[in-house]
Amino acid sequence: MFSVDLDRVRAVSRALAGIGWDGFVRLDMLEPEFNVLSEIYHRVGDVRVLLVLGLSAAIVDYQLAGDAFRFWNTLQSVLAKRGFKLSSIGDVKAVMDKFLGYPVNARFNSAKRGRVARFFDSGFARFLWDRGYMYYSDRPREIWYRLAEALGNRPDQKTIAFAMKVLDLLSLLVNGSYANFPRNVPIPLDVHVARMALYSGIIKGGGSETSGQVIQRNRGVFLRAWGDVAERVSETLGRRISPLRIDSLVWQLSKEAQKASYRRKHTIRYIIKYLVNAANIDENAAKNVAKELTYNMPC
């Protein structure tokens, strides 16, 4: 039975707070979706296009034949072949239809096409285009719950939560500040986020199994643990660090852990190098993060 280890939550939170506000922002800007959406916005310059395209892509960013970098770079390539010419909902829908035909989206392709169809046919895309784009940053909760309803999903489902992270990054990109999400916005819970919760020790019990079924059965515990970390980091920094910020850190560092085959000694070295070189994090802060996130990792 999984449960939250509050002692470990405190230790991990102290280490993550050492990254600082600017460090978390820099990590967000290293996310593959941020870089691609930045280029698209630079080329297209229309917030409506960016919002409808970004969220419709976000809801199918799962079970990839490749990785997130390939996914978002493929989307950019599809747009480049059109000369980045998009001026209507129909244009965005045509891009998504073309995009779904690429190998990176081959897995669960029928389900993905169904999700995109509901996104557009339910009226949600039209709502974003006509009204939502004007207040997506100030009132993101409305968009969050409308999207979940349009797709028939829970608001805390991974793809819905990830779509809200994309919305948050769009707000940072366009407005220079994050969206006004409520405190209960969840971390996009996938196998990488769950695995790092176990390796960091903020979740205890239940062994080290992180299959999809195990995650779904215990999703509340995982969400609560990372939510608690986000709250404590926020208290330390005196600025709101949402679970969406924690996700960028955890996802990127889980990739470094994967490169090191989840062996603690090597993973610590990989994490320190990544944080210092890629995100310009202070070396001592990077060492503390590496130490705490690999707490339960085998040597």
Side-chain angles (χ1 to χ4, degrees):
M1 194 73 176
F2 290 114
S3 62
V4 179
D5 187 324
L6 292 178
D7 287 337
R8 290 301 307 149
V9 165
R10 284 189 283 268
V12 169
S13 301
R14 283 194 298 269
L16 297 195
I19 289 173
W21 171 262
D22 290 340
F24 278 106
V25 174
R26 288 194 295 273
L27 285 162
D28 267 343
M29 295 174 72
L30 290 172
E31 291 285 82
E33 60 272 19
F34 184 87
N35 287 301
V36 169
L37 292 169
S38 295
E39 177 65 16
I40 294 171
Y41 186 54
H42 172 72
R43 297 295 191 112
V44 177
D46 189 331
V47 176
R48 298 172 302 172
V49 169
L50 197 66
L51 194 59
V52 174
L53 180 66
L55 297 195
S56 60
I59 62 172
V60 293
D61 184 353
Y62 67 95
Q63 294 290 341
L64 306 178
D67 60 16
F69 289 95
R70 184 183 182 192
F71 177 87
W72 290 97
N73 287 335
T74 299
L75 177 62
Q76 183 174 333
S77 296
V78 173
L79 288 166
K81 289 178 181 178
R82 291 177 60 103
F84 291 93
K85 294 178 181 178
L86 297 91
S87 58
S88 69
I89 289 180
D91 289 342
V92 179
K93 189 174 182 180
V95 165
M96 286 303 300
D97 182 65
K98 188 75 172 177
F99 175 51
L100 288 170
Y102 277 74
V104 71
N105 287 310
R107 301 181 66 189
F108 296 91
N109 189 261
S110 178
K112 292 182 179 185
R113 289 185 180 277
R115 289 176 67 78
V116 170
R118 289 194 295 277
F119 181 94
F120 286 96
D121 297 344
S122 66
F124 179 77
R126 173 56 63 183
F127 152 72
L128 286 180
W129 190 272
D130 290 345
R131 302 192 308 281
Y133 81 94
M134 293 185 288
Y135 58 79
Y136 73 96
S137 184
D138 295 328
R139 292 156 52 190
R141 186 184 185 281
E142 180 180 347
I143 293 173
W144 174 18
Y145 277 76
R146 276 179 177 256
L147 176 59
E149 182 180 10
L151 297 183
N153 293 153
R154 297 184 310 272
D156 67 355
Q157 185 164 313
K158 186 262 179 181
T159 50
I160 300 298
F162 179 69
M164 293 306 98
K165 177 178 175 178
V166 168
L167 184 151
D168 215 13
L169 295 181
L170 291 179
S171 180
L172 177 65
L173 170 63
V174 176
N175 304 311
S177 60
Y178 293 107
N180 186 32
F181 274 106
R183 304 186 80 84
N184 67 334
V185 65
I187 195 168
L189 182 63
D190 63 8
V191 64
H192 301 289
V193 172
R195 187 176 288 139
M196 293 305 287
L198 294 170
Y199 283 141
S200 68
I202 64 172
I203 296 289
K204 61 182 177 182
S208 59
E209 173 61 39
T210 53
S211 68
Q213 288 184 338
V214 169
I215 293 172
Q216 291 306 313
R217 285 199 303 269
N218 297 275
R219 63 181 297 104
V221 179
F222 284 99
L223 293 176
R224 186 164 65 253
W226 285 121
D228 287 349
V229 168
E231 285 297 321
R232 290 177 182 275
V233 174
S234 299
E235 290 172 5
T236 301
L237 293 181
R239 299 189 70 170
R240 176 66 180 146
I241 299 292
S242 88
L244 302 177
R245 305 285 75 71
I246 302 296
D247 181 69
S248 294
L249 169 78
V250 172
W251 186 83
Q252 290 172 40
L253 298 189
S254 74
K255 294 297 184 182
E256 297 304 303
Q258 194 172 38
K259 292 176 188 176
S261 302
Y262 301 102
R263 310 305 297 186
R264 189 170 194 240
K265 180 179 178 181
H266 298 306
T267 299
I268 286 175
R269 188 170 70 251
Y270 275 60
I271 286 177
I272 294 171
K273 182 178 179 181
Y274 182 83
L275 289 175
V276 172
N277 294 342
N280 196 27
I281 304 298
D282 174 78
E283 186 171 0
N284 286 329
K287 288 178 180 178
N288 289 334
V289 170
K291 174 186 172 185
E292 298 300 343
L293 288 184
T294 61
Y295 181 79
N296 279 337
M297 198 171 283
C299 294

